[in-house]
Amino acid sequence: MSATSETRPRASVIAAERSGAYDAIIIGAGISGMYQLHRLRGLGLSVRVFEAGDGVGGTWYWNRYPGARFDSESWTYGYSFSDEILREWEWSEHFAAQPETLRYCNFVADKLDLCRDIEFNCRIRAVTYDEIANQWEVEREDGGRERARFLITAIGPLSAPTMPTIPGVESFRGESYHTGTWPHEQVSFANKRVAVIGTGATGVQAITEIAKTVGHLTVFQRTPNWCAPLHNRPMDAATQARIKATYPEIFAVCRESFGCFIHQADPRNALEVGPEEREAFFEKLYGEPGFGIWMGNFRDVLIDQEANATITEFMRRKIRQRIKDPKVAEKLIPTNHGFGTRRVPLESGYYEVFNQPNVRLVDVRETPIERITPAGVKTSDSEHEVDMIIYATGFDAITGAFDRIDVRGMDGRRLREKWADGPRTYLGLQIAGFPNLFTLVGPHNAATFCNIPRCVEQNVDWVTALIGHMREKGYARVEATPDAERDWTQHVHDTGKRMLFTQVDSWMMGINSNVAGKQKRTFIVYAGGAPKYREKCDEVAARGYVGFTFR
Ligand code: NA7
């Protein structure tokens, strides 16, 4: 397919503008919204995208914090649908940093001439289904309203940043930032006393980078994570050429792996092999780039407690070896969860940061943060005076972005209320009672646990095919049946229960200590793996979109 071909008849958009209703509205111009726009144009639909930021890129637009970079191999992350884009774009590193990924998003937007159909700086506050008109009415934060037959949310899995509910946050006199809304201007750490709160995947990247130039750094850690080496390196010309020549094979490998990464699980069980062979295998994975140690490990380490204990013990030893002060090492070793049962942060010298004389680790389980004061962070045993506080405190994951929009379906029913006891969906793409609404990276969808563009392409293609099917048959309305929704939700719960991560608190189980009502574990991700998910979606389509009603 040529990426530059003009695929959308201009006349349809002009007609939509005159009648005041589009065929489709997409919320969000990140990885999924951009591709969905391109594909719907291909169907000849009039489409409008509303994006809160002033540029495309979603995650890569907002998360500009120091150290932000891929944990997926760059060359497995880009869109696969356009040979022209694959040929022309060059990744400079195996795991590109955020500025390069944002440039990539802009490169794609320019290639496909996407921006003419995107309205930037436009946050959506409410969406309401109008049953009589069979349209969605979309209300912008500035009060403006737009209408469309189809509404597609492309609002990202981790796009609602959350601040900690620590008293006094507003009182701090110095600079303060949340990593998920990092300023566009350069922030300097030189000669400054900096505090970082949070040690998830974001905190680990930010702490490692900030430690290179900071005056003094204090890290406030509540739960240590099992971090593994990223092993990033620049891309040389020969590798670049080899990758470009083998993109189809690369994407084929990703397609068949659990999370669409290049790493496939080893077919053996951990305890099937002797201790020496196991150790050698772990050592090999530890020395290799990317998520291999998480996704390419023995097939049972993420589902069997005993198998998991073997890799957990290995990782424990690694941390002890890398930290000079044994007391600090013990603080950095997780005690309440096994390796891989929470999102594994990949690191490039994270542990060594704690060997620096100008870095201090504060375990806030030992000495809880009592409040933020005008001068810094007050814990139960002292006041840490700082010039800057960085909140790497994460996101209201997956359902959080939906909660920020007042979504009302049939009979004015609110999505927030429907999902009060956990999400209920069909394929993670549709919801009974919310006709013509598609959730591209919604709960229960494989994209929630995935090398995102790989799953997003599948979802967008599937939704596009469904809309194409409706046009062909003359249908104007599609809705998941309550039975299909019940069965899918049950399937999500059943597949989830096999996985150890569902027995641990983390954003993957919908836990966020800073958001009311998000302290109970909830099945929000699809843990059956991307290949199984694709199979299910394909089967639904092949059986004439079974589980949906059309009108
Ligand atoms: P995470 O993984 O949710 O991490 C947030 C961190 O902030 C985590 O260490 C939390 O500790 C900590 N936190 C949150 N609130 C507090 C308070 N009130 N006090 C102390 N510490 C707190 O978010 P990330 O941004 O790192 O990563 C999110 C995903 O983005 C990541 O997985 C990638 O896929 C991309 P806790 O663990 O809750 O004890």
Side-chain angles (χ1 to χ4, degrees):
M1 179 196 295
S2 162
T4 46
S5 61
E6 172 57 77
T7 47
R8 185 205 54 177
R10 198 65 200 148
S12 63
V13 167
I14 294 163
E17 279 162 4
R18 270 203 219 106
S19 76
Y22 294 95
D23 290 325
I25 285 178
I26 300 169
I27 309 177
I31 296 289
S32 55
M34 288 167 64
Y35 182 48
Q36 185 68 80
L37 167 60
H38 174 65
R39 292 288 275 124
L40 291 184
R41 275 179 177 179
L43 283 186
L45 265 59
S46 61
V47 190
R48 196 76 181 151
V49 182
F50 297 104
E51 164 56 52
D54 69 6
V56 297
T59 288
W60 304 105
Y61 171 89
W62 295 103
N63 288 272
R64 296 165 188 252
Y65 63 85
R69 71 170 62 244
F70 279 144
D71 285 338
S72 311
E73 286 73 3
S74 314
W75 35 273
T76 69
Y77 187 93
Y79 292 110
S80 70
F81 68 88
S82 159
D83 289 341
E84 191 177 332
I85 291 172
L86 287 171
R87 206 169 42 244
E88 289 183 15
W89 181 260
E90 310 240 302
W91 294 106
S92 71
E93 293 178 279
H94 282 264
F95 300 89
Q98 173 271 334
E100 183 168 335
T101 310
L102 186 57
R103 276 200 300 281
Y104 171 76
C105 294
N106 280 292
F107 170 80
V108 174
D110 289 348
K111 270 265 148 210
L112 304 174
D113 192 16
L114 296 179
C115 292
R116 67 187 154 91
D117 286 326
I118 305 174
E119 192 164 333
F120 294 105
N121 300 307
C122 180
R123 192 175 279 283
I124 300 303
R125 72 166 167 223
V127 296
T128 310
Y129 179 65
D130 173 347
E131 203 173 342
I132 293 164
N134 186 31
Q135 286 176 342
W136 279 91
E137 185 172 83
V138 169
E139 191 186 330
R140 311 144 54 118
E141 254 179 11
D142 64 10
R145 286 162 200 263
E146 320 272 349
R147 282 179 165 250
R149 171 143 300 167
F150 295 105
L151 176 64
I152 301 174
T153 61
I155 50 183
L158 296 156
S159 56
T162 47
M163 285 291 286
T165 50
I166 303 170
V169 164
E170 301 306 324
S171 71
F172 181 58
R173 275 198 310 258
E175 297 168 73
S176 63
Y177 309 101
H178 189 289
T179 48
T181 48
W182 197 261
H184 291 202
E185 300 74 40
Q186 190 78 24
V187 175
S188 166
F189 310 104
N191 304 317
K192 290 183 185 159
R193 297 163 304 171
V194 176
V196 176
I197 302 179
T199 54
T202 299
V204 166
Q205 289 186 334
I207 287 161
T208 311
E209 191 59 29
I210 292 165
K212 292 175 184 166
T213 55
V214 76
H216 186 275
L217 176 64
T218 311
V219 174
F220 293 87
Q221 170 193 270
R222 188 165 63 186
T223 312
N225 283 300
W226 298 104
C227 310
L230 176 67
H231 295 301
N232 189 22
R233 60 191 194 287
M235 193 87 89
D236 60 61
T239 310
Q240 188 85 255
R242 184 176 48 74
I243 284 169
K244 285 196 177 186
T246 53
Y247 268 127
E249 290 82 354
I250 290 168
F251 293 131
V253 172
C254 292
R255 236 175 107 79
E256 294 316 316
S257 78
F258 187 88
C260 288
F261 293 96
I262 198 74
H263 313 280
Q264 285 181 322
D266 189 286
R268 295 170 298 169
N269 288 328
L271 296 163
E272 217 172 273
V273 303
E276 275 167 30
E277 192 180 346
R278 197 164 52 233
E279 179 78 8
F281 181 58
F282 290 158
E283 198 63 67
K284 174 178 161 294
L285 292 174
Y286 199 80
E288 287 175 349
F291 276 140
I293 198 155
W294 193 22
M295 301 289 170
N297 215 312
F298 294 116
R299 58 173 284 280
D300 58 346
V301 296
L302 303 179
I303 50 180
D304 180 83
Q305 209 66 264
E306 232 185 304
N308 184 265
T310 61
I311 179 67
T312 299
E313 174 50 30
F314 174 88
M315 297 300 286
R316 196 177 287 127
R317 270 185 278 125
K318 284 293 177 196
I319 297 174
R320 285 187 183 135
Q321 282 162 16
R322 289 175 61 179
I323 302 290
K324 286 188 190 143
D325 181 339
K327 282 205 201 96
V328 174
E330 291 317 300
K331 285 185 183 166
L332 287 164
I333 294 174
T335 51
N336 63 359
H337 67 281
F339 174 79
T341 61
R342 299 175 108 213
R343 204 294 204 177
V344 174
L346 294 186
E347 51 84 26
S348 306
Y350 175 66
Y351 289 113
E352 287 67 23
V353 163
F354 298 95
N355 295 332
Q356 287 182 209
N358 62 340
V359 176
R360 177 163 177 204
L361 178 64
V362 175
D363 180 341
V364 305
R365 288 204 195 263
E366 266 171 26
T367 53
I369 300 175
E370 287 179 348
R371 60 183 305 109
I372 304 295
T373 68
V377 183
K378 164 99 181 59
T379 59
S380 59
D381 71 339
S382 59
E383 181 161 1
H384 304 261
E385 289 192 7
V386 292
D387 305 303
M388 185 190 297
I389 302 178
I390 296 171
Y391 298 98
T393 44
F395 303 88
D396 186 357
I398 302 175
T399 51
F402 288 90
D403 291 343
R404 292 200 298 187
I405 302 173
D406 188 12
V407 183
R408 293 207 208 186
M410 301 265 292
D411 307 319
R413 183 145 188 228
R414 287 202 153 92
L415 183 61
R416 218 176 278 153
E417 282 156 21
K418 171 161 179 161
W419 284 357
D421 294 324
R424 280 180 286 142
T425 76
Y426 184 35
L427 301 174
L429 287 167
Q430 250 248 337
I431 307 149
F434 296 78
N436 291 0
L437 168 67
F438 296 105
T439 56
L440 285 182
V441 196
H444 298 179
N445 178 310
T448 51
F449 201 85
C450 191
N451 187 9
I452 285 238
R454 302 281 63 76
C455 286
V456 154
E457 281 184 340
Q458 120 94 16
N459 288 350
V460 167
D461 290 345
W462 195 91
V463 166
T464 307
L466 173 53
I467 293 176
H469 168 82
M470 290 175 69
R471 283 165 72 87
E472 222 176 272
K473 301 269 183 195
Y475 298 135
R477 186 179 181 280
V478 59
E479 186 187 354
T481 67
D483 284 354
E485 182 180 87
R486 186 202 55 225
D487 292 351
W488 180 258
T489 302
Q490 191 57 48
H491 170 69
V492 170
H493 288 222
D494 292 344
T495 46
K497 280 178 197 146
R498 290 175 56 236
M499 308 290 292
L500 293 175
F501 83 83
T502 60
Q503 298 163 27
V504 173
D505 285 355
S506 82
W507 67 259
M508 296 195 293
M509 285 306 289
I511 299 283
N512 188 314
S513 66
N514 303 307
V515 179
K518 301 256 168 131
Q519 281 76 45
K520 198 173 126 233
R521 288 181 202 153
T522 312
F523 290 92
I524 55 170
V525 305
Y526 180 66
K532 189 174 200 167
Y533 178 77
R534 192 176 53 245
E535 202 181 288
K536 296 257 180 202
C537 289
D538 289 350
E539 188 194 320
V540 167
R543 292 174 59 200
Y545 294 101
V546 61
F548 290 101
T549 52
F550 292 96
R551 277 218 303 258

